[in-house]
């Protein structure tokens, strides 16, 4: 899961730089957080952890927008100077610094208790804006701090790419997308098994084509992962791939390579497809047959002269010929006999198992560079591997 970057909100011309969100994260937001069977008086109020304290001016409670939005799982985007969109799966509200009126996704004007302001580089908005627009109750006093009944694990996970926003419903896997300032459209269902700890990331391929990656950790403990890649065109799912595996040792696997020469890499267990953005499969690799390993795989690199793939269980890199005719294990060519013996004899389900300890760094003239790191043997060095084809 990726973390949210903490950035202060700034006023005037610098607001675009200070609010730009460049990463995706595991996040959720209910459609109507206030719609509960019990009254607010009986609700479970929890305190929000904010660095910049709310304050009261003429009876109006002002809250630090960036920090509060992150904890309430609202997305912030910037259409222009001094303008902000606050977005959820069910609503989008446009505010202007210094203006006491906001506009929602339907074009309805909303009168605010007071205008949003910037103080010492931090943007504050009336707390009532969040409550009225998104149904998320907030209350504040100097003793208890800023509190809410919002459940941050309730219904949605989201991602964004520039001003295109994505949400997945954690109950039924429905994926929605839309530009900031508009109501999102339903794209289709991602058939996620046992939805639990979900993270989402998005990639823009062209003006009407996107790729969304979903990772779902589940089970007790959360050693099982489902990876899903969705190719979207014109707000419809064009193609979907999925891979499930169990990571008993806690190996930190890399994300799958996104694409090669404009074709999307889509992994289905041990089958890799390179897919044209229009949905046609250009090339297929049967990695189990090539490597002789019956397992699901990660594809860590796709280049003109080779592919690098790693089975989940043994976590050892193979180099694959670009035509898909041959594949070779890499670490026996780089490491000494003692180290090779440790890698081969250590049980892959033992906590701390790292596989071959190789991380691909780059290629120059057929010479591949790897970072080798094995904490059990106290070994760490850069190694060079000559392309075998």
């Amino acid at each position: 899961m990726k973390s949210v970057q903490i950035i202060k909100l700034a006023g005037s011309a610098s607001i675009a730089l200070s609010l730009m969100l460049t990463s995706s994260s595991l996040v959720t937001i209910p459609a109507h957080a206030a719609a509960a069977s019990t009254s607010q008086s009986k609700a479970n109020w929890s305190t929000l952890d904010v660095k910049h304290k709310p304050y009261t001016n003429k009876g109006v409670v002002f809250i630090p927008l960036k920090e509060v939005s992150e904890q309430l799982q609202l997305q912030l985007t910037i259409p222009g100077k001094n303008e902000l969109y606050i977005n959820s799966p069910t609503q989008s509200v446009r505010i202007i610094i210094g203006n006491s009126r906001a506009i929602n996704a339907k074009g309805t004007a909303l009168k605010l208790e007071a205008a949003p302001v910037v103080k010492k580089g931090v943007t504050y908005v009336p707390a009532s804006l969040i409550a009225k627009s998104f149904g998320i109750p907030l209350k504040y006093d100097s003793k208890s701090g800023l509190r809410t009944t919002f459940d941050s694990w309730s219904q949605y996970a989201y991602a964004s790419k520039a001003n295109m926003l994505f949400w997945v419903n954690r109950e039924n896997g429905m994926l929605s997308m839309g530009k900031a300032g508009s109501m999102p459209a339903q794209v289709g269902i991602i058939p996620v098994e046992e939805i639990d700890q979900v993270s989402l990331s998005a990639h823009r391929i062209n003006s009407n084509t996107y790729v969304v990656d979903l990772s779902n950790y589940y089970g007790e403990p959360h050693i099982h992962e489902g990876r899903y890649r969705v190719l979207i065109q014109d707000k419809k799912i064009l193609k979907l791939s999925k891979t499930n595996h169990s990571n008993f040792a806690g190996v930190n696997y890399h994300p799958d390579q996104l694409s090669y020469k404009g074709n999307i890499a889509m992994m289905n267990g041990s089958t890799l497809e390179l897919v044209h953005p229009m949905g046609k499969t250009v090339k297929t690799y049967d990695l189990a047959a090539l490597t002789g390993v019956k397992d699901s795989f990660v594809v860590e690199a796709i280049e003109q002269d080779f592919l690098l793939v790693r089975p989940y269980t043994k976590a050892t890199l193979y180099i694959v010929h670009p035509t898909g005719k041959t594949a070779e294990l890499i670490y026996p060519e780089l490491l000494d006999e003692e180290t090779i013996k440790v890698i081969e004899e250590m049980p892959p389900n033992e906590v701390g198992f790292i596989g071959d300890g190789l991380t691909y760094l780059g290629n120059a003239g057929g010479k591949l560079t790897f970072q080798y790191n094995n904490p059990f043997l106290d070994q760490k060095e850069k190694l060079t591997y000559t392309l075998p084809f």
Side-chain angles (χ1 to χ4, degrees), residues 129-364:
L129 168 64
I130 303 300
K132 291 179 180 178
S133 299
F134 302 101
I136 302 176
L138 293 169
K139 61 183 180 181
Y140 173 72
D141 62 66
S142 57
K143 181 179 180 180
S144 301
L146 184 63
R147 293 181 292 162
T148 183
T149 59
F150 175 77
D151 177 9
S152 63
W153 285 90
S154 53
Q155 194 173 2
Y156 291 92
Y158 79 65
S160 64
K161 191 64 179 179
N163 68 338
M164 186 62 74
L165 312 178
F166 301 84
W167 288 270
V168 65
N169 188 306
R170 295 176 65 249
E171 295 179 354
N172 58 25
M174 176 59 73
L175 178 67
S176 301
M177 65 181 291
K179 290 185 177 180
S182 66
M183 296 296 290
Q186 291 187 342
V187 174
I189 292 177
I190 304 177
V192 184
E193 300 176 13
E194 300 185 48
I195 300 178
D196 196 346
Q197 293 186 2
V198 175
S199 64
L200 210 63
S201 62
H203 317 272
R204 183 180 184 272
I205 305 303
N206 56 47
S207 60
N208 64 341
T209 308
Y210 289 82
V211 168
V212 169
D213 287 331
L214 183 151
S215 177
N216 175 48
Y217 286 94
Y218 60 97
E220 290 294 341
H222 289 75
I223 59 174
H224 307 288
E225 182 189 11
R227 290 189 178 192
Y228 301 79
R229 175 161 286 176
V230 185
L231 176 60
I232 303 167
Q233 187 175 87
D234 296 324
K235 297 184 178 180
K236 297 294 181 183
I237 293 179
L238 198 60
K239 196 174 183 65
L240 182 145
S241 64
K242 66 176 182 178
T243 296
N244 290 289
H245 75 97
S246 296
N247 183 5
F248 292 94
V251 180
N252 185 24
Y253 294 106
H254 291 272
D256 288 307
Q257 176 83 14
L258 175 62
S259 62
Y260 176 67
K261 289 188 174 180
N263 296 315
I264 314 304
M266 305 196 77
M267 284 297 310
N268 281 289
S270 62
T271 301
L272 166 64
E273 292 181 76
L274 296 182
V275 180
H276 189 274
M278 294 299 292
K280 181 181 178 181
T281 298
V282 177
K283 178 73 176 177
T284 300
Y285 295 87
D286 185 342
L287 301 180
L290 281 167
T291 62
V293 178
K294 293 182 179 181
D295 199 355
S296 295
F297 284 76
V298 182
V299 54
E300 295 190 5
I302 306 175
E303 299 193 12
Q304 181 176 346
D305 299 322
F306 63 90
L307 292 76
L308 293 178
V309 300
R310 188 188 301 270
Y312 278 100
T313 303
K314 291 295 291 184
T316 50
L317 276 176
Y318 284 79
I319 189 162
V320 179
H321 193 281
T323 63
K325 293 181 178 180
T326 60
E328 295 185 18
L329 199 56
I330 293 176
Y331 76 86
E333 301 298 321
L334 296 178
L335 306 176
D336 58 49
E337 291 184 6
E338 181 182 357
T339 303
I340 291 173
K341 185 177 180 181
V342 171
I343 292 173
E344 294 178 346
E345 293 183 354
M346 186 173 184
N349 62 349
E350 184 172 318
V351 175
F353 174 77
I354 61 169
D356 58 18
L358 295 174
T359 300
Y360 176 59
L361 299 179
N363 170 33

